[in-house]
Amino acid sequence: MKKFLFILLFVPLLTFAEQLRIATWNMEWLDQNSARPESLRTRADYAVMHDLSEQLAADIIAFQEVADQASLTKVLDKYQYKMEFSTRKDEVEQTSSPMKWHQFVGLAIRKGISYERNPDLTTLDVRDDKKLRYGVDVTILKNNKPVIRVLSVHLKSGCFYQDRNHRGCEKLAEQVSKLELWIDARATENIPFIVLGDFNRQLTGYKDWFWKEIDDGDPAGMKLYSAAGKDKSRCQSKTYDIENHSWSLMRYENYIDHIVLDEQAIELMVPESFKQFLYHQDDVMNLNLSDHCPIRVTLQL
């Protein structure tokens, strides 16, 4: 049986006054020590990503595809944020296997915000080989009382829009079942909750099989909402045309990064506060940034 460490972090009470800004950002192989082409970044690349983080100005950032704190602090100010990585990071780094997976999930939480670190959602590793990413789970406190629970995830790629019976959807479907169990457990606690991160799934409508499984009305009365609503993504990334030996811009209209709120949390969401933060088009073409743009919502507490 796996043992979990429950950590209570004693830090000052919330300092964000009445509002809490929560964001998610996949930083695409953010690893300053890796030779992967996606990871090779210059000082200019990091500077642009850091500037975007300043615009984001989030109190909590769910991050994905980050190798370590040293790499993350090139984008986020280490004096402003406490970085919580999944326990999978330490487990992978301690293994004797020559294969190293530097794509870790976590939460960056503004210093001064009080929270409890809950056990990671390790069941998302449905292959039980540490190659699929854990969820990172915290409870935000105000006046020593829980006000919202936050889960950062990065789910299996390869099933962006296909039917669940598609060969590439098998592992994602297993992960959805594990995520649903976490959601159902939260629904009985009477505490608002948010699941956010890279779902690797285009939740283009509430009739999607993925959505129907996590939002099945069980327990009775439980309801989920997508913060994006009908909004379309405007994030651009660059792609290499092998035939023409040139780079070009591309854009996918449907989000695969999501902020999902339960009925209590959606009531806390400031109307029309959902926002996507974009890179300048010239920077996308000339620099090595990320193929994801951060998204953010504001809650009124």
Side-chain angles (χ1 to χ4, degrees):
M1 178 180 294
K2 294 181 179 178
K3 296 183 179 180
F4 298 101
L5 179 63
F6 187 86
I7 304 173
L8 176 61
L9 298 172
F10 293 97
V11 292
L13 298 180
L14 292 174
T15 58
F16 56 80
E18 297 297 325
Q19 292 192 336
L20 183 70
R21 292 178 169 181
I22 302 180
T24 182
W25 191 1
N26 182 321
M27 299 186 184
E28 192 187 6
W29 292 98
L30 192 75
D31 185 352
Q32 63 177 350
N33 297 313
S34 173
R36 289 184 63 93
E38 301 93 330
S39 298
L40 296 177
R41 290 184 168 95
T42 66
R43 183 177 298 179
D45 300 329
Y46 282 112
V48 168
M49 293 182 72
H50 176 76
D51 288 347
L52 193 63
S53 77
E54 293 289 301
Q55 296 173 42
L56 189 61
D59 300 297
I60 299 174
I61 303 172
F63 59 82
Q64 303 88 41
E65 296 197 28
V66 176
D68 50 40
Q69 183 163 318
S71 300
L72 185 57
T73 54
K74 288 181 173 292
V75 177
L76 303 181
D77 188 339
K78 65 181 179 181
Y79 298 107
Q80 292 188 39
Y81 293 99
K82 168 72 175 177
M83 285 76 168
E84 294 286 349
F85 280 82
S86 72
T87 55
R88 175 176 164 271
K89 178 178 180 296
D90 290 336
E91 293 169 4
V92 169
E93 290 175 348
Q94 291 169 8
T95 184
S96 59
S97 170
M99 183 177 290
K100 298 293 185 181
W101 295 87
H102 298 291
Q103 278 197 351
F104 300 120
V105 175
L107 287 161
I109 302 173
R110 190 176 297 281
K111 292 182 178 181
I113 292 179
S114 180
Y115 64 95
E116 292 175 348
R117 174 79 185 260
N118 302 309
D120 284 0
L121 189 58
T122 59
T123 54
L124 292 178
D125 179 20
V126 295
R127 292 194 298 228
D128 196 26
D129 60 3
K130 295 181 175 56
K131 292 181 181 179
L132 294 178
R133 295 153 291 242
Y134 302 169
V136 176
D137 180 355
V138 304
T139 301
I140 304 300
L141 308 174
K142 186 175 184 180
N143 298 327
N144 293 320
K145 295 181 180 180
V147 289
I148 194 161
R149 192 149 170 175
V150 179
L151 178 68
S152 172
V153 299
H154 186 183
L155 302 182
K156 179 72 173 67
S157 182
C159 183
F160 301 106
Y161 55 83
Q162 296 89 344
D163 184 87
R164 68 178 300 144
N165 295 322
H166 186 272
R167 184 175 61 180
C169 296
E170 178 184 358
K171 294 305 176 185
L172 180 65
E174 291 182 42
Q175 287 184 315
V176 172
S177 297
K178 303 302 182 183
L179 181 59
E180 182 194 8
L181 291 175
W182 185 91
I183 289 171
D184 289 349
R186 303 291 74 75
T188 65
E189 293 178 342
N190 198 33
I191 300 171
F193 66 86
I194 292 180
V195 182
L196 75 170
D198 183 354
F199 284 55
N200 270 313
R201 181 73 184 177
Q202 298 176 7
L203 301 181
T204 56
Y206 294 151
K207 294 183 179 180
D208 182 78
W209 66 263
F210 183 119
W211 186 268
K212 288 194 291 186
E213 184 159 343
I214 62 172
D215 186 31
D216 59 1
D218 185 23
M222 199 274 289
K223 182 69 177 172
L224 298 179
Y225 300 86
S226 170
K230 297 181 179 180
D231 189 65
K232 294 294 185 181
S233 173
R234 294 172 291 122
C235 187
Q236 292 182 312
S237 60
K238 62 182 177 181
T239 182
Y240 188 71
D241 187 328
I242 297 178
E243 293 184 0
N244 296 321
H245 304 288
S246 62
W247 290 93
S248 61
L249 287 172
M250 65 182 300
R251 177 171 74 94
Y252 295 105
E253 288 189 349
N254 297 315
Y255 288 100
I256 61 171
D257 302 289
H258 301 285
I259 300 176
V260 175
L261 309 93
D262 80 323
E263 197 158 22
Q264 293 186 80
I266 198 70
E267 290 181 0
L268 299 174
M269 181 176 158
V270 174
E272 301 182 3
S273 67
F274 177 84
K275 184 176 181 180
Q276 183 179 53
F277 290 76
L278 305 174
Y279 312 102
H280 291 295
Q281 184 170 299
D282 288 346
D283 288 338
V284 175
M285 287 298 297
N286 298 323
L287 300 175
N288 186 18
L289 305 175
S290 171
D291 55 354
H292 295 247
C293 297
I295 55 176
R296 190 194 74 190
V297 297
T298 302
L299 303 183
Q300 187 76 31
L301 299 178

